[in-house]
Amino acid sequence: MARWLVTGAAGMLGRDLTAVLGAVPGASVTGPARADLDITDGAAAEAAVAGHDIVVNAAGWTDVDGAEADEAAATRANGDGPRRLAEACARHGAALLQVSTDYVFPGDADRPYREDSPTGPIGAYGRGKLAGELAVRDLLPKRGYVVRTAWLYGEHGRNFVATMLDLAERRETVDVVDDQLGQPTWSRSLAVRLTELGAAALAGRAPAGVYHATASGQVTWYGLARAVFELAGLDPERIRPTTSDRFPRPARRPAYSVLGHEGWAQAGLGPLPDWLPDLAVALPLIRAARAARAVRAQ
């Protein structure tokens, strides 16, 4: 039996991870929420990791704009937290899958970033996540896995797809930026891939290092919004293209967030599915989850 620890289990990705792992024969899953486990607390991380074969760190600071206002706190969560988990994994012989982000890159490329492309974050959030990556790779050279993802959406929590559905109910038209390019990634597909990578790691089939777990294909936020409306049976012409300078934010967003997927071959795995077919499967589930939450709120 493989003993898994999923940190941040109450979040969007964490909930999908525990659900996917719960259906895997022979997998034992422990899933503490952030309120139950502070990964920046070395003693707490040590106690949580003990007795587990593999850890998936889905906990962390996700407020990109908030990181600009309090970089120290964001780096504690996204840099020091993974370091504490890696230290505990090193002592207990466990593998660690650290979920990271496209924000470790500057976003000025014109072709997909490779797993070994030079990093260069342009904001506090990316700097903190990069610190976490480096800690994991330094402390766990043979059992540390950095899994970068981007543009994540799913049934649970706040995300772009759910926001578009909300805005569709409140506005006749919605302005969405058309000058940022990326790969919308369903959290359930990411959870499946993390489970597959973890199993391959435990079996000795996947070398430690960096992997890019984003959907195949690419699209702008504007294109994604139109796809959401089309799949929901709404008029996509209600989505209007605009530019990033019309929506100034505390944190700069990468203009180009497309990641290459060459690294999966070494683990015997292919790239994740294309973003549009995944969205078509995910959207009814997201809409059902929204409806259920609305009923509970009444």
Side-chain angles (χ1 to χ4, degrees):
M1 177 177 288
R3 300 162 298 179
W4 293 70
L5 172 66
V6 177
T7 65
M12 178 170 64
L13 175 59
R15 291 178 66 175
D16 281 343
L17 268 167
T18 54
V20 170
L21 283 166
V24 174
S28 170
V29 186
T30 305
R34 183 172 60 180
D36 303 315
L37 172 61
D38 177 3
I39 62 172
T40 68
D41 181 330
E46 179 82 19
V49 169
H52 293 91
D53 302 302
I54 186 164
V55 178
V56 185
N57 182 29
W61 181 293
T62 58
D63 182 356
V64 174
D65 289 324
E68 294 296 321
D70 195 347
E71 183 166 357
T75 301
R76 279 196 299 274
N78 293 338
D80 297 343
R83 175 176 291 279
R84 298 293 172 255
L85 288 173
E87 290 169 345
C89 286
R91 284 190 287 270
H92 292 280
L96 173 59
L97 275 59
Q98 168 64 23
V99 179
S100 193
T101 175
D102 60 302
Y103 277 75
V104 301
F105 294 116
D108 58 357
D110 57 5
R111 65 188 64 186
Y113 286 104
R114 294 171 50 90
E115 291 83 354
D116 59 356
S117 292
T119 54
I122 57 176
Y125 174 74
R127 288 190 290 270
K129 293 296 283 187
L130 181 58
E133 285 191 13
L134 296 174
V136 170
R137 299 190 67 188
D138 178 53
L139 292 165
L140 295 169
K142 295 183 178 180
R143 294 193 304 276
Y145 298 78
V146 169
V147 183
R148 296 177 182 140
T149 192
W151 290 31
L152 209 60
Y153 68 89
E155 297 169 60
H156 315 291
R158 298 173 57 188
N159 59 83
F160 180 85
V161 172
T163 297
M164 289 301 104
L165 293 173
D166 290 341
L167 291 176
E169 297 174 355
R170 306 199 309 266
R171 300 182 186 175
E172 181 57 34
T173 61
V174 182
D175 293 343
V176 182
V177 298
D178 196 28
D179 56 2
Q180 296 176 25
L181 196 64
Q183 299 158 306
T185 304
W186 186 18
S187 57
R188 178 61 66 98
S189 286
L190 175 57
V192 170
R193 178 46 50 92
L194 288 166
T195 301
E196 294 170 339
L197 177 60
L202 291 174
R205 299 193 306 268
V210 178
Y211 294 82
H212 285 169
T214 49
S216 298
Q218 59 187 43
V219 69
T220 66
W221 289 116
Y222 166 73
L224 173 57
R226 285 183 61 93
V228 170
F229 270 51
E230 289 177 358
L231 291 169
L234 304 169
D235 181 6
E237 296 305 318
R238 292 170 58 191
I239 304 294
R240 304 186 306 188
T242 188
T243 54
S244 298
D245 58 9
R246 297 291 300 275
F247 292 93
R249 307 282 290 276
R252 289 171 57 197
R253 266 55 177 178
Y256 187 84
S257 294
V258 180
L259 305 184
H261 305 129
E262 293 83 0
W264 290 114
Q266 63 184 337
L269 297 167
L272 269 67
D274 188 83
W275 70 270
L276 186 54
D278 249 11
L279 179 64
V281 176
L283 194 62
L285 301 176
I286 296 171
R287 297 180 77 183
R290 291 179 68 251
R293 286 193 292 269
V295 170
R296 290 195 297 269
Q298 291 178 352

